[in-house]
């Protein structure tokens, strides 16, 4: 057990559905503190760079179109086991397999449009935080 930081993104579908407050409430009431936050719209090129690990996958082009289709809210979360805690609150990638009461089970509309992103491990969390936030934007 340790205090960790992780990156969350409320994806364009979550913002469009008016779920910013709902998602942030779930983070805060489950002990994840917000250390940085902003709303931005990614370009296609930026979305491709963020998801470069998936560039060989069949869903990469559609995913990066979707992620650049509207504004997103990007958050730096901190707390005890924050990476795993955030993944628990999100639920499985495929919302049909997500635990009841998770963000994806409650709100996702497809495997692609699944409301939230969350870092999957400490090294990726550090890379993803640095992708979006500089030292002046973090608290
Ligand atoms: O987001 P997560 O880490 O749970 O899943 P991922 O395997 O890292 O995939 C990244 C994102 O690609 C997912 O959140 C989905 O939006 C999308 N995806 C998809 O469109 N089709 C798939 N078969 C798998 C993932
Ligand atoms: Mg992932």
């Amino acid at each position: 057990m340790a205090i960790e930081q992780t990156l969350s993104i409320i994806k364009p579908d979550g913002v469009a559905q008016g779920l910013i407050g709902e998602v942030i409430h779930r983070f805060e009431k489950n002990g994840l503190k917000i250390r940085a936050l902003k709303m931005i719209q990614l370009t296609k090129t930026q979305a491709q760079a963020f998801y470069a690990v998936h560039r060989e996958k069949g869903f990469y082009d559609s995913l990066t179109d979707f992620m650049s289709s509207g504004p997103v809210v990007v958050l730096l979360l901190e707390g005890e086991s924050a990476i795993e805690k955030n993944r628990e609150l999100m639920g499985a990638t495929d919302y049909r397999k997500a635990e009841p009461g998770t963000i994806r089970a409650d709100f996702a509309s497809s495997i692609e449009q699944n409301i939230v992103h969350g870092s999957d491990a400490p090294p990726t969390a550090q890379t993803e935080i640095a992708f979006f936030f500089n030292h002046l934007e973090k608290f």
Side-chain angles (χ1 to χ4, degrees):
M1 299 278 273
I3 300 293
E4 293 175 340
Q5 294 190 333
T6 190
L7 187 91
S8 169
I9 305 175
I10 305 175
K11 297 183 179 186
D13 57 333
V15 173
Q17 288 180 54
L19 293 171
I20 297 170
E22 171 70 27
V23 171
I24 289 177
H25 184 54
R26 290 183 185 213
F27 294 151
E28 292 190 323
K29 78 180 178 194
N30 284 284
L32 293 173
K33 293 197 181 327
I34 296 167
R35 297 298 188 203
L37 175 157
K38 62 186 166 189
M39 179 181 272
I40 54 171
Q41 182 162 358
L42 294 169
T43 64
K44 172 81 172 175
T45 303
Q46 289 166 338
Q48 288 171 324
F50 181 74
Y51 277 116
V53 65
H54 292 309
R55 65 187 171 279
E56 306 299 336
K57 307 269 176 60
F59 59 80
Y60 180 64
D61 193 48
S62 178
L63 171 64
T64 53
D65 275 348
F66 163 57
M67 288 300 291
S68 57
S69 67
V72 297
V73 173
V74 192
L75 305 104
L76 169 48
L77 303 176
E78 183 180 279
E80 191 69 43
S81 304
I83 297 168
E84 190 187 336
K85 167 68 71 180
N86 181 40
R87 298 288 311 191
E88 281 173 17
L89 295 173
M90 290 162 60
T93 308
D94 182 346
Y95 70 104
R96 294 165 300 188
K97 297 177 185 155
E99 289 292 321
T102 60
I103 294 166
R104 285 165 164 175
D106 286 348
F107 303 115
S109 53
S110 70
I111 187 160
E112 177 182 87
Q113 303 205 8
N114 59 4
I115 310 291
V116 278
H117 167 84
S119 309
D120 61 8
T124 41
Q126 287 315 305
T127 306
E128 291 179 359
I129 290 164
F131 185 92
F132 284 107
F133 295 112
N134 69 43
H135 68 286
L136 296 174
E137 299 173 303
K138 297 188 274 190
F139 291 87

